[in-house]
Amino acid sequence: MLQLYQMTLRSRLLLGTARYPSPAVLADAVRAARAEIVTVSLRRESAGERAGQAFWSLVRELGVRVLPNTAGCHTVKEAVTTAHMAREVFGTSCVKLEVIGEDDTLQPDVFGLVEAARTLCAEGFEVFPYTTEDLVVAERLLAAGCRVLMPWGTPIGSGRGLNNLFGLTALRAHFPDVPLIIDAGLGVPSHAARALELGFDAVLINTAVAQARDPVQMAGAFAQAVEAGLAARQAGPIEPRDLASPSTPLIGTAFRG
């Protein structure tokens, strides 16, 4: 089981809800993924009209939790304001916090991220910060009150997988008791399996499922990959070696003198 703030979950796969061909395909993908949390971004323009209620109705029908997202925010003020609107629309204090600092890579502005996290945590939000694999930034976010971290694998929507294995492995080792969710950049199920094998607690997938030729089938594939990666981690994989290690015992084998 996975504990994220007050939520106890069976699934290690979180699913984004953007860019699906239709609400029906989205609903089928969520079911195929066996996801218990879905993310949704909220824009200022729609919040005043409570346009998020249609999505909220779909979420209730699916029986999953919603994690509002401050996607597209570039300043602390934008992110904090959007989080407040999301809490009003969706009735949750959980928020996936994004403060974007660079448009081409959508890399987080880690300085603004820490400031926004500190403000929201002080106001009672349960913050899921979209961050980098930087250890110092992670320390600052935890000190600000975050209890979960969401480091990127590679830039959002790139599908390139886990770019900095050294940095991600160091992050996992440095914070063994903090839930870490790989967010952004995973493209195929093997990327998700690898993240769980490395000891990460969960993954968040959006583009790789929503933009697949068959989103529902891809969602199911990611669900299986996450389960396989977790099982492999729990089974205790062997350490990589530089030299061969024979799987067949040498004692008792025939040889020529």
Side-chain angles (χ1 to χ4, degrees), residues 128-250:
F128 294 69
Y130 164 61
T131 184
T132 66
E133 67 274 22
D134 189 286
L135 296 178
V136 177
V137 175
E139 291 276 14
R140 298 290 188 273
L141 289 168
L142 294 173
C146 299
R147 295 295 173 261
V148 176
L149 300 176
M150 301 185 74
W152 66 348
T154 42
I156 293 172
S158 68
R160 300 184 65 85
L162 304 176
N163 184 49
N164 184 1
L165 284 177
F166 174 81
L168 290 170
T169 302
L171 184 71
R172 177 70 284 177
H174 200 72
F175 301 102
D177 300 321
V178 176
L180 300 179
I181 302 171
I182 292 292
D183 175 19
L186 303 188
V188 291
S190 59
H191 294 158
R194 183 62 173 144
L196 272 291
E197 289 168 356
L198 290 173
F200 287 86
D201 297 283
V203 297
L204 171 59
I205 310 294
N206 192 164
T207 306
V209 170
Q211 297 294 289
R213 185 178 67 251
D214 186 335
V216 178
Q217 184 176 3
M218 186 62 78
F222 268 102
Q224 295 176 58
V226 167
E227 291 177 358
L230 177 62
R233 176 71 177 186
Q234 292 172 338
I238 65 171
E239 293 294 328
R241 302 182 178 95
D242 292 328
L243 300 176
S245 176
S247 56
T248 302
L250 296 178

Side-chain angles (χ1 to χ4, degrees), residues 48-121:
E49 302 168 2
R50 303 187 66 83
Q53 293 301 320
F55 178 83
W56 189 216
S57 297
L58 175 61
V59 170
R60 283 197 296 265
E61 292 173 6
L62 291 169
V64 295
R65 295 178 172 92
V66 64
L67 178 61
N69 187 354
T70 65
C73 294
H74 286 73
T75 68
V76 172
K77 182 177 180 180
E78 282 182 317
V80 170
T81 300
T82 302
H84 279 278
M85 291 190 296
R87 181 162 62 179
E88 179 182 349
V89 171
F90 295 111
T92 178
S93 293
C94 294
V95 61
K96 182 192 167 194
L97 179 61
E98 292 187 22
V99 182
I100 300 301
E102 206 281 320
D103 287 332
D104 290 333
T105 63
L106 299 180
Q107 180 168 330
D109 171 0
V110 295
F111 305 101
L113 180 68
V114 171
E115 182 181 345
R118 184 179 296 111
T119 298
L120 292 173
C121 288

